[in-house]
Amino acid sequence: MTHFPPPAEELRLLDTELRQLDARRAQLLGRRAWLIQALYPVPAPRPVAAVRRPETTAPSVQNVLLILGGVLLTIAAIAFTLVSWGHLGITGRSVVLGAVTVAALGAPVPLLRRGLGATAEAVAGLGLALTVLDAYALYEVALPDTDGVGYAAVASAVLAVGWAAYGLTLGAAHSTAGVRAHRPGPLRLPLPLATAAAQFPLLLWAGAADAGAHTVTAALLLTAAFDTALALRTPVRSVRVIATVGAYGWGGWGTFAAGWLSWTAAGPSAVARAAALLLFAAAIALTAAWRVPAPRVGSGIALAGGLVTVAGIGGVPHSALPDSWSVPGYLVCAVALLAVLRTRLPEPLRHGLAQASAGVQAVAVLWALPTVLVALLGPLDWARRAWTGAPATARDAVTTADLPWPADSATAPLVLALVAAVLALATRGTTWRPQAVTGALTLAWATALVLPATLELPYAAGMSAQFLLTVALVAAAQRSPRLPALPEPAPLLALGLALLTSVSLAFLALASRPATLLVSAALTALFAAAAARPRLGPIAAPASLVHATAFLCAVGASLDWQPQRTALLVLVVPVVAALLAARLGASPTTVSLEVTGAAAALLAVGLTVTDPPTLALVLALCGVIAAGTAVRVDRRPVGYAATALFVLATWVRLASWNVGSPEAYTLAVTVPALLVGVLRRRRDTRVSSWTAYGPGLSVTLVPSLLAAWGDAHWTRPLLLGVAALAVTLTGARHRLQAPLVLGGTVLVLDALHELAPYIAQVADALPRWVLPALAGLLLLALGATYERRIRDARRVREVLGRMR
């Protein structure tokens, strides 16, 4: 019978056979490849010769050669003109230079007809250079007595016109002939050179005529105007680049010179001429902004034109009015620029002029800012010289040696008010109306703040004006129906400004005692009324409490009370804060009230630091306030602070009585802690005795034990032992681990402390072998009863485990 192996064994045999077949097939394929190579040999490939590539192109070589040739010919012509000129007579000299110049200028025509544009460009460049030499030769031979600068002005103008005409004529003739040729482009060199030469005639003429600063500035601006027109109209890129550079360069230089002339003008005539120059520069810029195709570039040029316009028109009142009116004059001109917003001018032009107006207004506000800072921060100096007497004027009340009143700031309120009006009126219907109204409100506040000091009103009138300002801001924050609707951020901003003004007013009122009391009381009532609005409560309510604290401190100082006595009066603020917080519940105002009340309580504690008895009383009263707050369900953690305050009050009182016993301090912590533990275990039976009673017992037992070990008398150890025994029995009676373990441990250690002298005496009286013998007997006894002791230990552990 045929034997069939198991499937696994058969699969292994098949895999082996297949591997052998693959190996044999690879061997046969290798032999076949060798045989083919032997019968049909393949010739070895020839090495490919490396191709040399030129390192530059033919047009580049051509341009380099033509440029070098033109430069060398030009150098030769210069050398001939300057060195070899004297070897020829007048006729020979004229014939040579004329012939060479005519030949150089006429050669590009046939060259262009034959399509040799680069060669024609090089020869034309040589001809243009020769024209400069011709002009120089003419001056040296025929006009040696003529003014050199004036001749240079005329020569540069003639050369500019001639080169431009030559380039245009040659280009037109070439374009006409190019129909039969390959239509190569016209020459690129004459027109840019003509543009460059046209930059100097007016400036050289002004220098030759010994013109004044106004005439030179006019020459600069006329050259800039020519360049601007050329840059906007010409299609040739090279000419446009040179003209643009000239327009920016000469225009910027001329505008700066005109501005300097306007600022330093001494009379009406000089001012008028400088203003005319500035307005001419502005007209150039605005025309360019109108015609330039790129909107962003046009907007930037219009911005510069608007600034120059303001500088030109605003310079007139600057020269005729006092220095304090210079900034308002420029500001009025800037505001007038906003009239373009209602016109149909292109958008880039209107946008640039509006930006120019905004920039001038911003600079004007920065100019008035020091006055606002003095009016706002100056009253802070009264904190170190309170109740020394009211000053005569409102300006005297805000100025100090470190913060003097800024010079020439009489018109600062006018500047601030004008910018505020612009922001309020000129932004209607815009997307950034809320930001504009916010800025307008801030500037209007700054105007009202600096006005009393600027006008040097009496001290009482200045304070009254500042208080009315605070009232107006609070009213605006409340958004009365009779007032126009304000954007969303405005009410909070108004309240913030009112708070800032009230702080400055509170310091300003420190000059006299009645003013301090009256102002602090009025501010307290004002912000208390504002706190009735839920949205304003988180800011207005703390502000009212702060001013109330200041009022109570002022009352105590006016009654000549000591600081520790005034502290008791200040505690009224945290009491009121706690009562209001309890009434408001989960309102957003609650947290701010509690924080302000805590700060007032901290101030009261600080006032009593030097008087321990009063400090203990204040701490106790703060503990009462905290305990009352902890009654609320959401303020339970404040109970820990109340406990700490009570403990601190007790410790301070004991320290003031010179009590040195540690139990007097520790029992003040143990008793409240144990009471809290009892209440907690009543509410939650799962709380362990270690959590409920462990901290309270440890606070008293451990320090007393340490004191007992260092005490030579028997009273403290006896009392400690009695107390530890009572705690141990209580723990055993109620089956509580913490009292049982702590009380028993302290009891044993206290007993060892009492027996320590006697143990020492017995140890000295016994022989030295007694202690090892006793130790051995003890080990034998322990070993004999090992099993019973393990059983007893398990029972004790089970009993303790059942305790809670």
Side-chain angles (χ1 to χ4, degrees), residues 21-90:
L21 291 175
D22 290 338
R24 180 59 178 168
R25 184 174 185 275
Q27 182 180 2
L28 294 176
L29 289 175
R31 181 62 179 173
R32 179 178 180 276
W34 183 86
L35 292 174
I36 292 175
Q37 181 67 26
L39 294 176
Y40 310 102
V42 180
R46 296 180 181 179
V48 181
V51 180
R52 295 182 179 272
R53 295 184 178 180
E55 296 181 357
T56 183
T57 61
S60 300
V61 175
Q62 164 195 295
N63 293 333
V64 171
L65 294 176
L66 291 175
I67 291 173
L68 289 176
V71 170
L72 291 176
L73 288 175
T74 303
I75 294 174
I78 294 174
F80 170 77
T81 304
L82 297 178
V83 178
S84 301
W85 188 256
H87 298 290
L88 298 175
I90 184 64

Side-chain angles (χ1 to χ4, degrees), residues 30 47 71 126 147 248 345 354 419 546 623 648 781:
V71 170
L126 175 61
D147 180 44
Y248 278 109
L345 292 175
V419 178
V546 170
L648 288 175

Side-chain angles (χ1 to χ4, degrees), residues 304-375:
L307 294 176
V308 175
T309 303
V310 172
I313 301 177
V316 177
H318 164 69
S319 63
L321 297 176
D323 292 340
S324 60
W325 287 92
S326 297
V327 175
Y330 288 109
L331 180 61
V332 170
C333 298
V335 173
L337 282 181
L338 294 177
V340 301
L341 296 177
R342 306 294 181 184
T343 64
R344 295 183 178 180
L345 292 175
E347 176 63 24
L349 191 63
R350 290 187 285 117
H351 183 67
L353 291 176
Q355 285 183 328
S357 176
V360 175
Q361 294 179 56
V363 172
V365 171
L366 291 177
W367 171 80
L369 185 59
T371 307
V372 179
L373 293 178
V374 171

